[in-house]
């Protein structure tokens, strides 16, 4: 039994933890939560379009029907977001408000992780400002009623970035551990695809992950950070294949870190002063990161191969997305050529996706100039405005805000977004720090921009990057007083 002294000690420890939470962060969470709950009470948005597809898939999963469409196994929509909704449906029942609860939880994670990343890179003042920006940014409030994957993906992406930042900071000081267990686990991956059951593969992957966790806990704690970052990245990939940009950014930043830790050579005395250490630990951590991501994604790939026959594809809508953004008469945003409507008559979704990709490649080969001219249009469509959540709160809804309120909400969303970009522009000096951790954010923004510029533009696609711009905007806000002070002091010095 727990005595009074132990009970008092536990209460005191919990109180100490609560006191350690930054009050600025706590205030941002409370105010942001109130704004989102108020918006959800004001607008009763029901799932439509993509949101309805997510909801239906999650409902079938929760009812034990599997990931199917019209009674057949499907991979048309990435499984991550519907599976997450289904997990909550299992607990709370199949209701729209459960999806909105997931958005609320994602908001708490987004603001908290924005704060942690900002503090890790630029200090507590910038972290506090960034947290308040994300708490009050209008578009982030308005999206809380929509069952889209963006809020969840944003939270997962931030979690992966934060774990990577911790891994980058601690990697140079980590003790070197023997990589034998990790190599053995990687070798086992070549045996797993020969199993017929995707569940057996999932079980084997889980065993490997647990083995890596035990190994890291006993031999090298930093290994856990990199492995966890890989697992979270794998989760992001299952929610949206665009999570590949996280992998690319992490690998480039890891390469930069490894280059900085290259073995010392006498000829480097002038160009690279200071002691250098072996790069092998960093390469090991990068390998564990990839292994963690692969182990989480592999069971889904095995299921798709066994049930649908699509090999290493996470979903079967990639070819259609490429075609929507790359065809004769494309606008850069969502626009479908009527001549391609025949694709939807193809019952086999794998064949349909392959045919759509072939159509887009033929267009690019036959008219490369027009294909190139679409690149700025797709870029513009992704970045030009931030009021898309207001549109989706009104699209095909029975109870919507009036025309004037919608115009006001759109105005607030767009101009808050433009102000955010302007302040982030003022924070450019923070972007150009050459440490791998600092480079991770601009690399991720750049790869994401390239990804959607090549595929298809949509204002929703920039939403997962807004926390990074909020962090840079916080830096810009902190830079302004310094610049003003230096401008006032300059004439006196002369």
């Amino acid at each position: 039994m727990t005595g009074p002294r132990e009970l008092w000690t536990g209460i005191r420890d919990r109180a100490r933890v609560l006191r350690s939470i930054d009050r600025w962060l706590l205030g941002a969470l409370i105010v942001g939560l109130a704004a989102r709950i108020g918006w959800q009470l004001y607008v009763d948005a029901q799932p439509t379009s993509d949101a309805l597809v997510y909801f239906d898939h999650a409902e079938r999963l929760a009812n034990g029907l599997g990931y199917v469409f019209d009674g057949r196994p499907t991979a048309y929509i990435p499984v991550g977001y519907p599976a997450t909704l289904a997990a909550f449906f299992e607990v709370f029942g199949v209701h729209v408000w459960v999806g909105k609860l997931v958005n609320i939880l994602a908001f708490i994670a987004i603001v908290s992780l924005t704060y942690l990343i900002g503090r890790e890179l630029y200090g507590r003042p910038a972290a506090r400002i960034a947290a308040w920006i994300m708490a009050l940014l209008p578009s982030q409030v308005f999206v809380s009623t929509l069952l889209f994957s963006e809020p969840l993906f944003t939270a997962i992406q931030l979690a992966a970035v934060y774990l990577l930042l911790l891994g980058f900071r601690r990697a140079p000081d980590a003790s070197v551990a023997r990589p034998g267990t990790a190599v053995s686990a990687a070798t086992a991956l070549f045996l797993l695809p020969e199993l017929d059951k995707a569940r057996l593969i999932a079980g084997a992957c889980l065993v490997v992950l647990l083995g890596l966790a035990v190994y890291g806990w006993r031999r090298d704690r930093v290994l856990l950070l990199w492995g966890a970052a890989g697992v979270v990245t794998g989760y992001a990939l299952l929610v949206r294949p665009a999570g590949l940009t996280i992998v690319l950014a992490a690998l480039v930043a890891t390469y930069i870190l490894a280059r900085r830790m290259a073995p010392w050579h006498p000829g480097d005395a002038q160009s690279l002063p200071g002691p250098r250490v072996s790069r092998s630990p960093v390469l090991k951590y990068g390998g564990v990161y990839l292994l963690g991501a692969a182990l989480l994604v592999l069971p889904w790939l095995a299921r798709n191969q066994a049930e649908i026959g699509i090999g290493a594809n996470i979903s079967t809508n990639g070819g259609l997305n490429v075609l929507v953004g790359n065809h004769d008469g494309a606008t850069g945003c969502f626009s479908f050529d009527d001549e391609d409507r025949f694709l939807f008559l193809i019952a086999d979704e794998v064949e349909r996706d392959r045919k759509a990709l072939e159509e887009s490649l033929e267009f690019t080969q036959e008219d490369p100039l027009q294909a190139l001219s679409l690149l700025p249009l797709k870029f513009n469509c992704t970045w030009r405005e931030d009021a898309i959540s207001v549109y989706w709160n009104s699209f095909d809804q029975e109870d919507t805000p009036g025309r004037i309120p919608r115009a006001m909400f759109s105005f607030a969303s767009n101009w808050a977004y433009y102000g955010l970009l302007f302040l982030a522009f003022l924070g450019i000096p923070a972007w150009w720090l050459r440490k791998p951790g600092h480079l991770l954010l601009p690399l991720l923004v750049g790869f994401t921009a390239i990804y959607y510029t090549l595929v298809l533009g949509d204002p929703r696609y920039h939403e997962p990057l807004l926390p990074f711009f909020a962090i840079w905007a916080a830096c810009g806000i902190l830079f302004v007083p310094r610049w003003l002070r230096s401008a006032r002091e300059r004439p006196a010095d002369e």
Side-chain angles (χ1 to χ4, degrees):
M1 295 179 63
T2 302
R5 179 175 297 179
E6 289 79 5
L7 181 62
W8 169 249
T9 302
I11 295 174
R12 186 178 58 189
D13 292 341
R14 289 178 176 84
R16 187 180 295 114
V17 171
L18 290 176
R19 286 196 300 269
S20 66
I21 299 176
D22 193 321
R23 294 180 180 179
W24 287 78
L25 171 60
L26 189 60
L29 289 172
I30 293 173
V31 173
L33 183 62
R36 283 154 179 81
I37 292 176
W39 176 253
Q40 291 187 2
L41 294 175
Y42 175 65
V43 176
D44 183 25
Q46 298 298 308
T48 61
S49 187
D50 289 351
L52 183 59
V53 175
Y54 290 135
F55 186 89
D56 289 344
H57 277 304
E59 183 177 14
R60 286 190 286 270
L61 280 173
N63 291 333
L65 301 177
Y67 204 65
V68 298
F69 180 74
D70 285 342
R72 294 178 298 181
T74 183
Y76 183 75
I77 297 295
V79 70
Y81 182 55
T84 303
L85 287 181
F88 281 85
F89 287 167
E90 288 281 353
V91 178
F92 300 103
V94 181
H95 306 287
V96 175
W97 67 263
V98 176
K100 297 178 182 180
L101 173 63
V102 174
N103 288 343
I104 292 293
L105 297 177
F107 150 74
I108 295 174
I110 289 169
V111 173
S112 301
L113 289 166
T114 299
Y115 172 88
L116 292 173
I117 292 172
R119 188 180 66 179
E120 179 72 19
L121 292 178
Y122 305 112
R124 193 181 297 271
R128 290 171 169 174
I129 296 173
W132 275 91
I133 290 175
M134 289 307 299
L136 298 177
L137 197 65
S139 65
Q140 296 299 291
V141 175
F142 300 150
V143 79
S144 65
T145 51
L146 305 173
L147 303 194
F148 287 151
S149 62
E150 278 76 18
L152 177 64
F153 181 80
T154 303
I156 298 170
Q157 179 172 262
L158 289 173
V161 168
Y162 182 60
L163 290 171
L164 285 168
L165 290 178
L166 295 180
F168 284 131
R169 176 160 60 86
R170 300 182 184 183
D173 299 326
S175 60
V176 178
R178 292 177 298 175
T181 303
V183 172
S184 300
T187 305
L189 289 178
F190 294 99
L191 304 177
L192 292 176
E194 298 192 357
L195 298 174
D196 296 330
K197 301 290 186 178
R199 289 186 178 182
L200 289 178
I201 296 178
C205 290
L206 180 60
V207 170
V208 175
L209 284 173
L210 291 175
L212 286 174
V214 172
Y215 172 76
W217 182 261
R218 297 187 61 182
R219 300 301 303 274
D220 189 348
R221 300 289 176 85
V222 181
L223 190 72
L224 289 177
L225 288 174
W226 288 82
V231 171
V232 174
T233 301
Y235 185 17
L237 284 165
L238 292 176
V239 174
R240 296 175 70 169
L244 179 63
T245 58
I246 307 174
V247 179
L248 295 176
L251 291 180
V252 172
T254 303
Y255 171 78
I256 293 172
L257 180 61
R259 290 278 296 176
R260 292 190 172 194
M261 299 178 67
W264 171 262
H265 297 289
D268 297 334
Q270 295 181 353
S271 60
L272 296 172
R276 318 302 299 286
V277 295
S278 173
R279 69 178 65 156
S280 58
V282 175
L283 298 179
K284 180 188 68 175
Y285 294 136
V288 170
Y289 167 75
L290 291 176
L291 181 60
L295 287 173
L296 197 71
V297 175
L298 183 60
W300 177 248
L301 299 182
R303 176 265 182 190
N304 289 344
Q305 175 61 35
E307 300 288 343
I308 308 173
I310 62 172
N313 289 345
I314 292 177
S315 65
T316 58
N317 63 351
L320 285 171
N321 286 334
V322 174
L323 179 60
V324 169
N326 298 272
H327 63 83
D328 188 19
T331 64
C333 297
F334 185 89
S335 63
F336 205 79
D337 192 345
D338 288 335
E339 295 183 357
D340 295 323
R341 296 288 177 183
F342 75 93
L343 292 172
F344 292 99
L345 300 177
I346 303 176
D348 186 346
E349 63 184 58
V350 178
E351 176 65 19
R352 182 171 63 239
D353 195 57
R354 183 189 64 79
K355 185 64 177 176
L357 184 59
E358 289 179 354
E359 291 283 327
S360 63
L361 292 177
E362 288 179 6
F363 160 74
T364 303
Q365 295 172 357
E366 294 175 358
D367 196 347
L369 292 180
Q370 184 180 358
L372 288 175
S373 69
L374 290 174
L375 297 181
L377 296 179
K378 287 181 281 190
F379 182 87
N380 176 64
C381 184
T382 300
W383 297 96
R384 68 186 178 190
E385 53 102 4
D386 199 36
I388 191 66
S389 55
V390 178
Y391 167 80
W392 284 111
N393 273 289
S394 303
F395 177 80
D396 201 20
Q397 300 289 336
E398 294 182 1
D399 183 19
T400 64
R403 182 173 59 86
I404 294 179
R406 286 203 304 271
M408 294 174 59
F409 296 145
S410 297
F411 179 86
S413 292
N414 283 332
W415 283 100
Y417 171 66
Y418 301 145
L420 176 68
L421 295 183
F422 174 74
L423 292 172
F425 176 78
L426 295 181
I428 279 182
W431 298 30
W432 297 111
L433 295 176
R434 296 184 179 182
K435 297 180 180 179
H438 290 83
L439 288 174
L440 184 62
L441 270 61
L443 284 171
L444 186 51
V445 171
F447 284 136
T448 302
I450 294 172
Y451 179 90
Y452 288 115
T453 299
L454 294 174
V455 179
L456 171 66
D458 191 290
R460 285 166 48 191
Y461 296 155
H462 73 246
E463 288 185 9
L465 302 176
L466 291 179
F468 304 145
F469 286 98
I471 293 171
W472 292 327
C475 294
I477 292 173
L478 294 174
F479 287 157
V480 169
R482 302 178 190 176
W483 289 338
L484 294 177
R485 185 164 54 250
S486 63
R488 288 195 302 267
E489 292 174 354
R490 192 175 299 115
D493 294 340
E494 295 176 355

